[in-house]
Amino acid sequence: MAGLGLRGAGRALLPGWALPAAPGPCPRRGCGEAAALRAMGFSQEQARRLLALQPRLGPEHREAAAAQLLLLGLSPEAAAALLERSPALLRLPTERLRERAEELRRLGLDGGRLQRAVSRCPQLFHVPRRRLEAAVRLLRERCLFTAGQLREVLETCPTVLLEEHRTLHHQFQYAYFRMGVRQKAMVQARLFQMPFAELRNRHIFLERRGLYETPHKGQTQTSNPKLKDILQLPEKDFLASLACATPEEYEVFKKLLAREEEEKEEEKEEEDVEALSATPGPVLL
């Protein structure tokens, strides 16, 4: 009888009808997270994007990270975009995010400066505090930037806090001693936004074409181009308006300069080996 009942029920279904879907898991959790994000000010689309990040992560982490970024003054769209670029922020403890924001404020990055710095460089939240402090000491005590200049450097080029300190100091020394540029001009030109290798390529190229002279006691025989123009002009404009050269000439120059550097390194290694060989060994008694 049970079999007949089932067969009868099957015949009773009209064409185009379907059996009701089996009950699935309740989407209440996702709805609750989306509602919490919407309550913070995120749009439905922004909430959807945030929920797609680290889907296995507990909702409290996502909501806490989003809330901290909003407290920094970021707009919901800026906060969502920042978390998309650096989803690892979602796994940082809330206290760590709060402490790092306070540390950056103590460095002078407050208000809009802080927003722009973390938007440009979300890795600032991951850098150990001691490394941040060491970079700041280097810029203040060895590079002698004023407090105001330091704030501008950190706002426009926050990646200086991630650089190896020796590389950072070397780039400053090159601009100061080889190019004769002072701190104010470095800040205005955003010196640290350009990789050191490219800065050096452009400077030496101008120098060898007789278009740049290292100042002696603040004086030069030629009118040097401004550091801002050397750094900020796109390469084609730099070559056309400052170097008066073709891209082909610049490419050949860079290859020759790289070869020169390799030869210098080889010569230095040979000299080191010779010096080591000439050093008398221990006397055996």
Side-chain angles (χ1 to χ4, degrees):
M1 291 296 293
L4 288 172
L6 287 173
R7 287 196 295 273
R11 287 195 300 269
L13 289 173
L14 298 176
W17 284 32
L19 289 169
C26 178
R28 225 179 325 175
R29 178 176 176 271
C31 292
E33 287 184 60
L37 293 170
R38 292 291 303 278
M40 293 181 194
F42 292 97
S43 68
Q44 184 174 350
E45 171 62 18
Q46 291 162 353
R48 183 193 63 77
R49 286 158 50 195
L50 289 173
L51 290 173
L53 301 173
Q54 307 274 349
R56 296 185 179 181
L57 198 64
E60 64 280 0
H61 291 281
R62 188 179 291 103
E63 293 169 19
Q68 284 302 312
L69 294 179
L70 294 178
L71 287 174
L72 292 181
L74 271 67
S75 67
E77 176 56 32
L82 182 61
L83 289 172
E84 285 177 318
R85 291 203 313 274
S86 185
L89 291 177
L90 294 170
R91 296 189 175 277
L92 285 180
T94 306
E95 193 59 30
R96 171 73 177 277
L97 287 170
R98 187 182 300 114
E99 288 175 357
R100 180 49 46 81
E102 287 302 319
E103 289 165 8
L104 294 172
R105 286 193 183 96
R106 282 195 293 271
L107 297 179
L109 291 174
D110 52 2
R113 287 191 177 93
L114 180 59
Q115 297 169 34
R116 287 185 285 273
V118 298
S119 294
R120 290 184 176 116
C121 185
Q123 297 91 335
L124 289 178
F125 287 108
H126 300 281
V127 182
R129 183 179 63 185
R130 289 183 179 180
R131 187 172 177 181
L132 287 179
E133 293 173 345
V136 170
R137 281 198 305 272
L138 172 68
L139 292 168
R140 286 284 280 134
E141 298 173 10
R142 301 186 68 184
C143 301
L144 300 180
F145 287 107
T146 66
Q149 290 168 346
L150 175 63
R151 283 195 298 271
E152 193 166 347
V153 168
L154 297 182
E155 177 189 352
T156 58
C157 191
T159 53
V160 295
L161 296 173
L162 311 180
E163 290 284 353
E164 289 294 331
H165 298 162
R166 184 171 60 180
T167 302
L168 188 64
H169 193 218
H170 186 50
Q171 185 161 352
F172 166 80
Q173 288 183 313
Y174 186 91
Y176 191 89
F177 293 107
R178 282 280 282 112
M179 301 181 72
V181 180
R182 295 300 177 257
Q183 287 88 340
K184 183 178 180 180
M186 292 181 200
V187 174
Q188 293 173 342
R190 300 182 180 179
L191 169 68
F192 299 107
Q193 284 188 350
M194 174 172 281
F196 174 64
E198 182 57 23
L199 164 69
R200 188 170 174 276
N201 284 341
R202 291 192 179 195
H203 168 245
I204 296 178
F205 190 57
L206 291 172
E207 195 175 48
R208 293 189 181 179
R209 294 178 70 83
L211 299 172
Y212 199 102
E213 181 183 345
T214 301
H216 178 66
K217 296 183 178 180
Q219 301 296 318
T220 63
Q221 298 298 316
T222 63
S223 180
N224 286 336
K226 293 182 178 179
L227 180 64
K228 185 175 182 179
D229 294 331
I230 296 173
L231 297 181
Q232 295 188 7
L233 284 175
E235 186 175 292
K236 64 176 183 177
D237 296 330
F238 161 76
L239 293 173
S241 62
L242 291 187
C244 303
T246 65
E248 291 76 18
E249 289 174 314
Y250 190 46
E251 286 303 314
V252 170
F253 160 77
K254 287 191 287 187
K255 290 177 182 178
L256 291 174
L257 185 62
R259 189 180 302 169
E260 285 179 21
E261 291 301 311
E262 289 177 5
E263 291 173 354
K264 286 181 182 178
E265 286 297 322
E266 290 174 359
E267 290 176 4
K268 186 177 182 300
E269 289 177 3
E270 291 175 0
E271 290 173 359
D272 291 342
V273 170
E274 290 175 0
L276 187 62
S277 301
T279 302
V283 177
L284 297 178
L285 298 178

